[in-house]
Amino acid sequence: MASKVIHAIYNDDDLLLQAVKQIREARYHIGEIYTPMPVHGLDKAMGLAPTRLAITSFMYGVVGLIVATAMMDFIMIEDWPQDIGGKPSFSYIENMPAFVPIMFELTVFFAAHLMVITFYMRSKLWPFKKAENPDVRTTDDMFLMEVDVANHNVDELTKFLYNTGAAEIKLIDNK
Amino acid sequence: MYTLSSKLKLTAIIFMIVGAIGIVIGFLQAPSNLDDVREMMAAEEHHGETALEKEGEDDNFAYAEHSLLLDDEAGRNAESKEDAAAEQGHDTEHLEHKFHQLQNKPWAAVYVAAFFFFMISLGVLAFYAVQYASQAGWSPVLFRVMEAITAYIVPGGIIMFVLLVLSSMHLNHLFVWMDPEVVATDEIIRNKTAYLNIPFFLIRAAIFLAGWFIFRHFLVRNSRRLDQATDNYYFKKNFKLAAGFLVFFIVTESIMSWDWIMSLDPHWFSTLFGWYVFSSMFVSGITVIALVTIYLKSRDHLPFVNNSHIHDLAKFMFGISIFWTYLWFSQFMLIWYSNIPEEVVYFISRIENYSLPFFGMVVLNFVFPLLVLMNSDYKRVNWFVVMTGVIILVGHYLDVFTMVMPSTVGESWFIGIPEISAVLFFGGLFTFVVFNALTKAPLLAKRNPYIKESEHFHY
């Protein structure tokens, strides 16, 4: 069975936020919203779950710290404990101040880069990815909301969306 | 208008009285002559090895090594006679050393606590000026709290000045360079007398304190007048005044830290010391703003403060704590790495005799705020902020403690009656002055151009 969605286009973000609230109150289901720029408070209005990206970043940072510590402990203390300019290489803690800059940088490096890669993977972004853009104007000045028709009456839904201030309404057949 | 609750007033007064009694006990406990020290050390000897014995061992070792090198009978005999004579001289020298340390103890305890509470209000004044100069939109609802905390700058500053004058009158040995006998035999200090001499030192202190008092007075007066004004004249005036203060502050604060803290070790110097002391006062100041705000809010005096304001203060506590650690580590690591003897003694004396407070404060001031205040949700939970705030304040007390104590009382340190009493006394005074100042003006600044934005601040 082919599912149908309605594309409602708005030309103002305040109108869009209002519409999102009304549509959610009326218990229609919003699929996606395409906007040219971040709309403050849109995720809250849509009821999206908060991101856990910061938590992953913290864990990556801990990994980076462990990598740095293990690496330098092995190289400088365990494997070849040379006397380099009188620095004490008998144990890790004795020579630790010299390792701190590297420990810090690797923590930041791991936290930043792995988090960015996680972001790309979770949002499915890569160089030759085909753009998923239902309407080119949404990257410039239009806001597009995709509402699932499901088993609602199309005319009623159209009318409802029209009343929320949509500038354009299109019925799309997903085959 | 806020009215000072009688309970709080009573608590502050009890703190002051208990603290004052403790300070007096501290002064009475300090030895008044060398015999007292000898008795004290004899009493200590029963508990185990004393520093005196240890040093004696070192001498024996040095002597043995020396005689091995000499390896000639006559020389050795002569040396051992000399040694016996020298040991007696050494003994009294050591006693005198210990005597000065123990005499300094109550003074240093008062000095640390007085400086700690003074630097909090100075840090708040700097933060207040930053808010004006940067035209921050979130903070104007907290201005009256900040103004009240800076009220302590006047009594606290006067107490600091009195302490410096008392040191200059040779009532204590906090500043070695003030002792003419020391200066006569110490070429390094003698070469610094153009800067480190008592009249110039006191004049500098007076200028700094007067400057801070005056800037504080006009900033607060303009802020009060703005409430009754019909235009933004006083706001613009305060903006310029705050910018001027920040320039004056960063120069004077830096010199103040050389004078009041670094000159306790006149043989040592560090270029980032002014910044280091600044970061310490800034973070403790912000922490106290957060604590006072949370207290007043819990008593329903600040209905216009929401948890986003607390969140912002907690972010500052978190960020400046890390800034402090950055400076602490930069200072430590550069000196540790190059290990130049004349600089590294500063840290050797701290690591050997003060290892727990010295490294403990890094845990309190860095690890704890880092882990607790990293989570965005925790920064909005009052008791998390209060708990971390208390830890940060304890940590920065220890910070001042490890800056002052090693050069004044050396290995004779202990956090006992004089130290705790001094904190109680100045804590009580600080609470009394701050909360008394809060009653002087409505808790919401009225006509600040950013006050509406601040009331609706949401993060």
Side-chain angles (χ1 to χ4, degrees):
Chain A
M1 198 185 88
S3 70
K4 286 181 180 174
V5 292
I6 287 183
H7 282 177
I9 295 185
Y10 297 82
N11 42 29
D12 185 78
D13 51 344
D14 285 335
L15 218 54
L16 176 79
L17 272 177
Q18 279 300 313
V20 169
K21 276 172 202 153
Q22 289 172 26
I23 291 162
R24 269 170 59 85
E25 255 166 46
R27 304 239 162 249
Y28 291 117
H29 184 258
I30 300 171
E32 281 288 351
I33 296 183
Y34 298 86
T35 63
M37 81 290 193
V39 177
H40 192 75
L42 186 60
D43 54 339
K44 277 227 178 73
M46 288 172 73
L48 298 181
T51 174
R52 287 167 295 178
L53 211 52
I55 299 168
T56 65
S57 179
F58 177 77
M59 294 192 291
Y60 297 145
V62 172
V63 171
L65 186 62
I66 292 169
V67 168
T69 312
M71 175 182 80
M72 284 180 299
D73 183 52
F74 177 71
I75 297 173
M76 303 301 289
I77 310 294
E78 305 293 334
D79 191 35
W80 201 279
Q82 277 194 104
D83 182 342
I84 303 167
K87 285 277 159 292
S89 49
F90 306 106
S91 71
Y92 192 77
I93 196 74
E94 266 183 307
N95 209 358
M96 198 190 72
F99 303 144
V100 165
I102 299 156
M103 289 156 72
F104 171 76
E105 292 295 345
L106 277 186
T107 307
V108 175
F109 179 87
F110 272 64
H113 289 81
L114 292 182
M115 177 179 74
V116 167
I117 293 168
T118 309
F119 169 72
Y120 285 153
M121 283 162 61
R122 289 292 292 157
S123 47
K124 302 191 176 63
L125 283 174
W126 56 87
F128 299 102
K129 181 190 163 73
K130 200 174 168 300
E132 301 162 1
N133 192 1
D135 191 315
V136 286
R137 290 171 302 169
T138 59
T139 61
D140 181 19
D141 62 345
M142 292 294 192
F143 303 81
L144 188 148
M145 187 197 301
E146 205 176 76
V147 184
D148 292 343
V149 173
N151 46 11
H152 300 294
N153 184 316
V154 177
D155 286 338
E156 237 173 66
L157 182 54
T158 312
K159 205 154 175 224
F160 182 82
L161 288 173
Y162 181 76
N163 285 335
T164 61
E168 252 174 62
I169 295 171
K170 269 187 276 183
L171 184 65
I172 308 282
D173 260 323
N174 283 343
K175 284 189 189 115
Chain B
M1 285 293 250
Y2 172 74
T3 46
L4 183 56
S5 72
S6 55
K7 245 190 221 165
L8 197 68
K9 200 172 169 181
L10 194 66
T11 317
I13 289 171
I14 289 172
F15 270 40
M16 276 193 272
I17 292 170
V18 172
I21 293 170
I23 290 172
V24 171
I25 292 175
F27 277 101
L28 292 178
Q29 273 180 345
S32 50
N33 53 44
L34 284 179
D35 291 332
D36 283 358
V37 185
R38 204 167 281 133
E39 254 171 55
M40 265 182 180
M41 286 174 70
E44 247 174 65
E45 222 155 340
H46 294 293
H47 297 294
E49 198 180 45
T50 62
L52 189 65
E53 274 176 2
K54 237 194 249 168
E55 229 168 86
E57 267 167 34
D58 283 352
D59 276 354
N60 288 342
F61 179 70
Y63 169 64
E65 211 174 32
H66 197 75
S67 51
L68 268 179
L69 285 174
L70 276 174
D71 203 24
D72 95 62
E73 196 77 13
R76 210 184 305 168
N77 282 342
E79 185 108 345
S80 78
K81 264 181 220 153
E82 241 170 60
D83 209 47
E87 204 155 308
Q88 276 214 312
H90 188 80
D91 209 34
T92 44
E93 210 173 89
H94 179 83
L95 273 176
E96 224 162 278
H97 184 62
K98 186 92 180 164
F99 173 57
H100 283 315
Q101 288 186 345
L102 289 175
Q103 264 198 326
N104 267 345
K105 229 180 136 234
W107 284 101
V110 171
Y111 191 79
V112 169
F115 182 77
F116 176 67
F117 284 98
F118 173 74
M119 85 172 187
I120 288 175
S121 64
L122 189 59
V124 173
L125 186 59
F127 189 72
Y128 179 64
V130 168
Q131 300 307 308
Y132 259 112
S134 63
Q135 307 195 9
W138 68 276
S139 53
V141 293
L142 302 171
F143 275 2
R144 287 293 143 85
V145 175
M146 298 183 204
E147 285 165 13
I149 298 171
T150 60
Y152 180 75
I153 215 171
V154 179
I158 290 170
I159 290 171
M160 277 311 291
F161 191 72
V162 167
L163 282 174
L164 297 179
V165 169
L166 293 180
S167 298
S168 311
M169 288 160 66
H170 307 295
L171 289 177
N172 58 50
H173 298 90
L174 288 183
F175 296 91
V176 249
W177 59 265
M178 286 181 177
D179 195 339
E181 278 172 45
V182 173
V183 178
T185 53
D186 193 322
E187 206 190 334
I188 296 175
I189 299 182
R190 209 159 49 236
N191 290 336
K192 293 184 180 181
T193 44
Y195 183 78
L196 285 183
N197 59 73
I198 290 173
F200 189 30
F201 176 79
L202 290 180
I203 291 169
R204 279 196 307 265
I207 292 173
F208 304 159
L209 288 168
W212 298 332
F213 292 173
I214 291 168
F215 271 112
R216 192 261 164 194
H217 174 77
F218 284 109
L219 279 166
V220 173
R221 198 184 67 170
N222 287 342
S223 159
R224 302 276 152 89
R225 285 189 176 173
L226 190 62
D227 275 9
Q228 263 77 51
T230 50
D231 56 10
N232 286 335
Y233 173 74
Y234 287 110
F235 179 78
K236 286 180 191 160
K237 223 174 160 186
N238 249 7
F239 171 75
K240 287 178 197 155
L241 206 57
F245 169 74
L246 288 172
V247 175
F248 176 78
F249 171 77
I250 203 61
V251 176
T252 50
E253 187 276 335
S254 196
I255 301 174
M256 175 273 278
S257 69
W258 308 335
D259 281 1
W260 297 3
I261 305 216
M262 204 158 78
S263 85
L264 294 164
D265 285 281
H267 282 201
W268 182 80
F269 53 86
S270 161
T271 41
L272 62 67
F273 198 73
W275 279 105
Y276 174 68
V277 174
F278 164 73
S279 68
S280 197
M281 68 168 65
F282 209 47
V283 68
S284 353
I286 294 165
T287 305
V288 171
I289 298 174
L291 294 183
V292 174
T293 307
I294 289 172
Y295 170 78
L296 289 174
K297 193 167 166 49
S298 74
R299 294 278 183 277
D300 287 329
H301 294 298
L302 301 173
F304 36 83
V305 170
N306 57 43
N307 61 7
S308 293
H309 294 111
I310 306 296
H311 188 140
D312 261 32
L313 284 171
K315 269 193 285 192
F316 267 107
M317 282 160 64
F318 175 75
I320 309 293
S321 283
I322 290 169
F323 177 62
W324 173 88
T325 316
Y326 168 67
L327 293 176
W328 176 87
F329 183 72
S330 301
Q331 179 169 274
F332 173 69
M333 194 260 223
L334 284 182
I335 289 173
W336 172 87
Y337 205 101
S338 56
N339 203 17
I340 300 172
E342 64 261 34
E343 286 180 4
V344 87
V345 282
Y346 183 82
F347 286 112
I348 287 179
S349 64
R350 275 155 184 79
I351 291 170
E352 277 185 356
N353 299 322
Y354 289 76
S355 61
L356 184 65
F358 186 68
F359 291 110
M361 76 179 177
V362 182
V363 175
L364 296 180
N365 291 340
F366 173 63
V367 180
F368 206 86
L370 179 85
L371 294 178
V372 176
L373 290 181
M374 192 177 320
N375 191 317
S376 179
D377 294 332
Y378 291 174
K379 292 195 199 90
R380 290 161 179 275
V381 183
N382 283 347
W383 69 270
F384 262 99
V385 178
V386 171
M387 178 180 67
T388 323
V390 170
I391 298 266
I392 288 175
L393 288 182
V394 171
H396 284 282
Y397 172 77
L398 282 181
D399 185 18
V400 180
F401 188 83
T402 47
M403 281 195 276
V404 171
M405 287 296 176
S407 27
T408 50
V409 305
E411 64 271 25
S412 312
W413 72 278
F414 188 68
I415 299 190
I417 292 174
E419 287 79 10
I420 293 168
S421 313
V423 171
L424 284 183
F425 176 77
F426 286 102
L429 185 65
F430 182 84
T431 316
F432 186 78
V433 171
V434 168
F435 283 89
N436 202 36
L438 276 169
T439 62
K440 297 277 153 56
L443 288 179
L444 182 61
K446 226 189 297 168
R447 281 206 72 265
N448 190 298
Y450 293 99
I451 199 77
K452 272 279 161 296
E453 180 183 342
S454 181
E455 278 177 66
H456 297 125
F457 173 66
H458 178 78
Y459 170 73

